[in-house]
Amino acid sequence: MQTPTTRRTAFRRAAASLAVATGLMAPPALAQDLDLQKLTPEQREAFRAEVREYLLDNPEVIMEAVNALETKQAEQQAAADDQLVSSNADMLFDDGYSWVGGNPDGDVTIVEFSDYRCGYCRKAFPEVEELVKSDGNIRIIIKEFPILGQDSMTSSRFALATMLVAGPDAYKQMHDALISLKQEPSEPVLSKLATTLGLDADAILAKMSDPEVDRRIGETHELAQRLQISGTPTFVFGDQMLRGYVPIDGMRQIVKQVREES
């Protein structure tokens, strides 16, 4: 999305280029934002008239400058994200407690930071499932990252408690049920859900307050902070970070790119 600051910055750079082209400013000034205060009144008036005429004749130049700036910023963000992934690889890919599925020997690992109450996480869920299933060579890791209130925290605690009580397979069943749960995750609702899955509801409910549950959620939040993740879903595809929802075709393209670059 183009912000006012982005548009102003792009305009200043385009205007600086125009000032050089029209002889109103020397090239070294391109290294800084355009400063009209350094122009004489006559130069300033001529510059304004020239800018107006140029933009009326070439209105597309502003969008070109904005797009170029946004592309540059996106490239800088991607490079910074690559470094963040590299420096936190151990906790991302082998923390010792997050659920791991798909092909354990897959050539691409996807890590998902997810919140059960996040609408886009719910939208992405069946597509991620289809991606992993249809590809056959993807390792998938789920990070419990409750950030959208108490219901999110309750759901994550119940999922992690399920893993501690009944193991990773039961956790995946519970995760899949919670990500599509339409009701609020009250104790009666969670108890019924566990019973429906053939699990010991009382044992899971009691385990929700275990310090190990606190540790796992806390460490994932600390990892997300180091990675500068503030929203869900956030994915890591190999060494690339993807902030936000992307449809399955886009995810397939990213997986292909990761394989080509590995």
Side-chain angles (χ1 to χ4, degrees), residues 8-241:
R8 284 195 298 271
T9 302
F11 177 81
R12 286 170 178 163
R13 293 183 179 180
S17 298
L18 182 58
V20 172
T22 56
L24 293 174
M25 184 174 290
L30 282 173
Q32 301 174 353
D33 283 343
L34 180 64
D35 187 353
L36 293 177
Q37 300 304 316
K38 293 181 180 179
L39 301 178
T40 67
E42 292 78 11
Q43 287 176 323
R44 188 155 51 248
E45 187 62 30
F47 172 73
R48 288 170 177 168
E50 191 71 32
V51 168
R52 183 177 187 278
E53 182 177 351
Y54 181 82
L55 292 180
L56 288 174
D57 291 340
N58 304 277
E60 70 279 1
V61 71
I62 293 300
M63 290 309 302
E64 290 174 2
V66 169
N67 291 337
L69 178 61
E70 290 183 338
T71 297
K72 181 178 180 180
Q73 290 174 334
E75 290 172 350
Q76 292 172 336
Q77 181 64 64
D81 285 346
D82 288 351
Q83 181 57 46
L84 289 172
V85 170
S86 176
S87 60
N88 290 279
D90 287 345
M91 283 298 293
L92 270 169
F93 304 119
D94 191 22
D95 62 17
Y97 56 81
S98 292
W99 181 84
V100 180
N103 183 345
D105 299 317
D107 63 347
V108 174
T109 295
I110 298 176
V111 181
E112 179 182 4
F113 288 77
S114 180
D115 183 308
Y116 291 109
R117 313 307 288 180
C118 163
Y120 281 106
C121 296
R122 293 181 172 219
K123 185 175 182 179
F125 168 67
E127 298 185 345
V128 173
E129 291 283 293
E130 174 61 24
L131 174 67
V132 173
K133 180 180 178 180
S134 62
D135 185 281
N137 204 24
I138 291 175
R139 178 174 175 253
I140 177 79
I141 299 173
I142 296 175
K143 299 285 189 183
E144 294 283 341
F145 188 45
I147 57 173
L148 297 177
Q150 188 55 51
D151 284 350
S152 296
M153 182 63 74
T154 298
S155 297
S156 281
R157 284 187 171 278
F158 196 71
L160 290 171
T162 298
M163 182 181 286
L164 292 173
V165 169
D169 290 344
Y171 165 84
K172 184 58 167 63
Q173 288 182 292
M174 186 59 69
H175 170 274
D176 294 357
L178 288 170
I179 201 70
S180 57
L181 183 67
K182 292 182 171 57
Q183 300 165 280
E184 293 185 2
S186 63
E187 185 171 315
V189 168
L190 294 177
S191 180
K192 181 178 179 180
L193 186 58
T195 300
T196 300
L197 295 175
L199 303 172
D200 187 336
D202 291 339
I204 295 172
L205 289 168
K207 201 69 172 177
M208 289 175 67
S209 57
D210 192 288
E212 179 61 17
V213 173
D214 294 333
R215 183 185 74 83
R216 296 184 181 191
I217 291 176
E219 288 191 3
T220 299
H221 274 265
E222 289 174 5
L223 173 62
Q225 186 173 26
R226 292 196 300 274
L227 292 167
Q228 299 175 17
I229 294 173
S230 58
T232 55
T234 295
F235 298 91
V236 175
F237 285 72
D239 59 357
Q240 298 183 27
M241 195 179 306

